[in-house]
Amino acid sequence: MTEHLISQGSALYKGVSAFEPYINELHKRYESEDFIDWPTIVLATTLQTTCISLFKLLPAREFGNEPLDKRSIASIVRNVVDTHDVIDMLVNEPDSERFSLHRDIMGLYLSSRINKVQSEILPEKAQEIYKHTKQWYWGRIKNSELYEKSMDRLKSGEALFYQSRRQRLSNACGKHADFVSGVLADLSTYVHSIPPSIWMSDASNMYSDNESNRNTVAVWLRISNFYFAQSMKAVVDFSDMETSEAMAEFMAHHEYVFSE
């Protein structure tokens, strides 16, 4: 498993390197107004910077005295998964009606967030337009032919997802969804403000760069690379760019969460 961790770390580096030219190209195309879908660019850039941060946290090939920061790695892997889910919703939607609906959900979320921040910091200067915009987007969502009762959870404007995490896992991971769900539950024990993982095991082993911890991180990294690859494909397909050989190799290697 230690070799598996090193292999997945190398794959992550190759994925980041392969995706970087696409990030640069997206920004250039946006500046020249050849591609103006800013949510795609923001999400793709967020994904890339998150994966770079993840790579920086991975241990060296040899075991050493440096701590293995499992808590930070767990947080970033969760961020990769969540970013993928947003990309899948806002970018990777072939049905035009549902695509428009999802963009309305994004509008509801953004206008609600801006309105809440302004109202909390400078209520006397809060721009009423965002309050009305939030209501306008909700009206569009409620009147959509694709409206589902589960979308009512979005009315407050504090969330983007109307599908449960279980549904999103099933859509992305297929038959591996149950196992990935268990791994994500394990990750959650590390990312809480008072992480249960600290009092569920001895502190001396929590951040040690040992075989057991590397085994755990290896599984986390495989899942993260899968979500990274799926997000890459969605961005490249939507922006209508050709897939490089390096990117094709990374995506092919991570077509499924785990090998058959």
Side-chain angles (χ1 to χ4, degrees), residues 185-249:
D186 184 37
L187 289 171
S188 295
T189 70
Y190 289 87
V191 301
H192 291 307
S193 56
I194 304 178
S197 58
I198 287 181
W199 47 263
M200 288 171 63
S201 61
D202 62 288
S204 62
N205 186 54
M206 181 57 54
Y207 299 112
S208 299
D209 183 10
N210 57 36
E211 185 174 4
S212 175
N213 284 340
R214 286 197 175 202
N215 291 347
T216 301
V217 173
V219 176
W220 295 354
L221 192 57
R222 174 70 200 192
I223 292 172
S224 181
N225 277 338
F226 164 77
Y227 275 98
F228 187 21
Q230 300 308 304
S231 300
M232 274 186 186
K233 186 178 188 308
V235 169
V236 173
D237 288 350
F238 184 70
S239 56
D240 197 27
M241 292 191 285
E242 293 185 6
T243 304
S244 68
E245 183 177 342
M247 181 176 286
E249 180 181 350

Side-chain angles (χ1 to χ4, degrees), residues 11-239:
L12 175 62
Y13 178 78
K14 291 177 181 177
V16 166
S17 299
F19 202 34
E20 186 64 22
Y22 290 85
I23 299 297
N24 294 334
E25 181 63 21
L26 282 173
H27 283 272
K28 288 179 182 177
R29 288 175 61 182
Y30 183 78
E31 291 172 2
S32 62
E33 299 185 355
D34 289 334
F35 183 79
I36 58 173
D37 191 68
W38 60 266
T40 301
I41 299 170
V42 170
L43 290 168
T45 306
T46 299
L47 178 70
Q48 178 76 338
T49 56
T50 301
C51 288
I52 290 172
S53 297
L54 176 58
F55 178 76
K56 294 290 187 181
L57 287 170
L58 298 181
R61 179 173 293 275
E62 298 81 14
F63 288 103
N65 296 322
E66 293 295 321
L68 178 56
D69 189 355
K70 288 173 66 180
R71 190 180 186 195
S72 294
I73 292 173
S75 298
I76 293 179
V77 171
R78 282 289 300 270
N79 286 341
V80 172
V81 173
D82 290 342
T83 303
H84 162 273
D85 288 351
V86 179
I87 289 175
D88 191 52
M89 177 180 175
L90 296 178
V91 177
N92 191 32
E93 178 52 67
D95 182 79
S96 59
E97 288 189 38
R98 193 166 291 277
F99 178 85
S100 296
L101 172 65
H102 289 172
R103 289 306 175 94
D104 285 338
I105 290 173
M106 178 189 69
L108 172 69
Y109 176 79
L110 291 178
S111 57
S112 175
R113 295 296 85 202
I114 295 171
N115 180 62
K116 183 174 179 61
V117 170
Q118 290 185 342
S119 298
E120 293 291 338
I121 297 177
L122 290 172
E124 69 280 2
K125 294 186 178 180
Q127 295 169 280
E128 286 294 311
I129 183 175
Y130 292 109
K131 180 179 180 180
H132 296 310
T133 301
K134 173 186 172 183
Q135 296 169 346
W136 183 80
Y137 277 118
W138 176 244
R140 284 176 58 88
I141 294 166
K142 196 71 182 287
N143 292 326
S144 170
E145 293 182 358
L146 299 172
Y147 167 79
E148 302 171 14
K149 186 67 176 176
S150 59
M151 293 177 187
D152 283 353
R153 71 180 67 179
L154 304 175
K155 188 175 181 180
S156 64
E158 296 185 2
L160 275 169
F161 302 122
Y162 59 92
Q163 288 187 324
S164 66
R165 181 176 289 281
R166 177 66 201 180
Q167 289 175 297
R168 303 197 304 272
L169 277 169
S170 296
N171 292 341
C173 303
K175 68 180 184 180
H176 296 133
D178 286 341
F179 182 77
V180 175
S181 178
V183 174
L184 294 184
D186 184 37
L187 289 171
S188 295
T189 70
Y190 289 87
V191 301
H192 291 307
S193 56
I194 304 178
S197 58
I198 287 181
W199 47 263
M200 288 171 63
S201 61
D202 62 288
S204 62
N205 186 54
M206 181 57 54
Y207 299 112
S208 299
D209 183 10
N210 57 36
E211 185 174 4
S212 175
N213 284 340
R214 286 197 175 202
N215 291 347
T216 301
V217 173
V219 176
W220 295 354
L221 192 57
R222 174 70 200 192
I223 292 172
S224 181
N225 277 338
F226 164 77
Y227 275 98
F228 187 21
Q230 300 308 304
S231 300
M232 274 186 186
K233 186 178 188 308
V235 169
V236 173
D237 288 350
F238 184 70
S239 56

